[in-house]
Amino acid sequence: SDCRPEDPFLILFTSGTTALPKGVVHSIGNELGNAVMFNTAMGFDKESRFLHVWPMAYSSGILNTLLSPIMAEGSVVLASPFDARSALGFWNTLIDNKVNTLWLSPTMLAALLMVDRDARGPSYCKEYVRTVCCGMAALPLSVKHRFEQKYGIEVLESYGLTELLIVSANTPRYSRKDNSVGIVLPGIDIRIGRHESIDDQDDIGGEVLVRTPFAMLGYVDPDTGQVSKLPDGTFFPTGDLGRLDADGNLFITGRKKDMIVRG
């Protein structure tokens, strides 16, 4: 094959919550390497069967629930994107196809808690589901605990960005802490910068700065189509506020600027 790890693989567009959407270019090595690292941390293998309920144009629909199972030599069940209708019959697809690995958002968890009345769900989860991952937005602790109580399985939260892919995760091999997005994954460095507008630095922390081998190649210039390269070794400013504890757990405490999450 003529493909090289550094070759461009795909362009993902950010949501455009603060400006026009940005085209984020990732290489083959970025996407596949991040998937392998995450699989190793989570213990995914050829027996893992993922449920895919994300839009294909979204990072979770490509990396988390398509490339991850493929690189683990597992399998993936392609279902309709999650919405109110699919939430009502959510367990039908899982039971019919023996799904054992879920990647859901906080909104999906909350929706299931609100509308799911299928008695098969809790029993199926307790017997067959191995892992429930959650990401893409802040997970309220109350939603996490209610879901775990109802379905009898722990929700493992992670943290990442379109530009950087998966950065940290709560994994089975490490003890988990409430409100933490987990341990920083191998090969990734995080610094907590200081911010002038923060009064209580100890509780809020500072801006989360990330250096990762899986960072994007750069942004696409909408006028020229050229990629503005991200310099090697750069600590990327995420715009998220957070802190690291003595055990290496990352806590996201807020945003530097307000952001509207839609859809």
Side-chain angles (χ1 to χ4, degrees):
S1 172
D2 294 331
C3 291
R4 301 171 300 169
E6 63 270 23
D7 287 342
F9 179 53
L10 53 80
I11 302 174
L12 293 169
F13 283 86
T14 62
S15 59
T17 50
T18 57
L20 289 175
K22 296 178 180 178
V24 176
V25 184
H26 275 292
S27 69
I28 298 171
N30 277 8
E31 292 282 340
L32 300 188
N34 194 251
V36 169
M37 181 187 64
F38 186 69
N39 289 345
T40 301
M42 298 300 298
F44 296 145
D45 56 28
K46 64 180 63 177
E47 301 302 322
S48 299
R49 177 163 292 183
F50 286 61
L51 177 69
H52 190 301
V53 290
W54 295 85
M56 286 289 188
Y58 205 51
S59 186
S60 286
I62 299 173
L63 172 62
N64 303 17
T65 50
L66 197 60
L67 295 180
S68 183
I70 289 173
M71 297 306 291
E73 300 184 19
S75 55
V76 55
V77 175
L78 298 176
S80 300
F82 189 94
D83 58 18
R85 178 177 297 180
S86 64
L88 291 172
F90 183 76
W91 300 104
N92 295 333
T93 301
L94 276 77
I95 294 170
D96 291 346
N97 296 279
K98 297 182 174 57
V99 170
N100 61 24
T101 306
L102 304 180
W103 241 115
L104 303 174
S105 70
T107 303
M108 295 175 187
L109 298 180
L112 288 173
L113 287 170
M114 184 178 298
V115 305
D116 179 28
R117 299 293 183 268
D118 192 337
R120 298 176 301 167
S123 60
Y124 183 82
C125 256
K126 292 171 185 175
E127 187 170 356
Y128 292 104
V129 175
R130 295 166 50 177
T131 309
V132 177
C133 295
C134 184
M136 312 313 296
L139 173 61
L141 195 59
S142 60
V143 172
K144 180 180 187 295
H145 285 170
R146 286 168 54 212
F147 189 93
E148 292 172 343
Q149 182 177 15
K150 179 174 180 178
Y151 295 103
I153 186 167
E154 185 179 6
V155 178
L156 299 175
E157 190 177 5
S158 60
Y159 170 73
L161 287 82
T162 304
E163 290 90 344
L164 307 178
L165 306 182
I166 303 173
V167 171
S168 70
N170 286 286
T171 70
R173 67 178 61 184
Y174 293 106
S175 59
R176 275 78 67 192
K177 295 185 179 181
D178 284 349
N179 292 317
S180 170
V181 292
I183 299 289
V184 179
L185 295 173
I188 297 175
D189 297 322
I190 284 186
R191 290 179 181 173
I192 304 298
R194 297 192 65 83
H195 197 267
E196 295 177 357
S197 64
I198 299 173
D199 295 327
D200 194 343
Q201 197 82 33
D202 290 337
D203 289 339
I204 301 300
E207 184 173 10
V208 178
L209 310 173
V210 179
R211 182 171 63 188
T212 171
F214 309 111
M216 64 177 178
L217 296 180
Y219 292 114
V220 174
D221 186 305
D223 297 320
T224 66
Q226 298 298 309
V227 178
S228 57
K229 298 288 187 179
L230 190 69
D232 292 339
T234 299
F235 274 88
F236 185 86
T238 66
D240 291 317
L241 300 176
R243 59 183 177 84
L244 282 168
D245 71 7
D247 298 318
N249 289 278
L250 177 63
F251 297 82
I252 303 299
T253 56
R255 288 280 303 172
K256 283 182 65 177
K257 298 178 180 179
D258 289 336
M259 180 175 68
I260 299 172
V261 178
R262 55 186 297 274

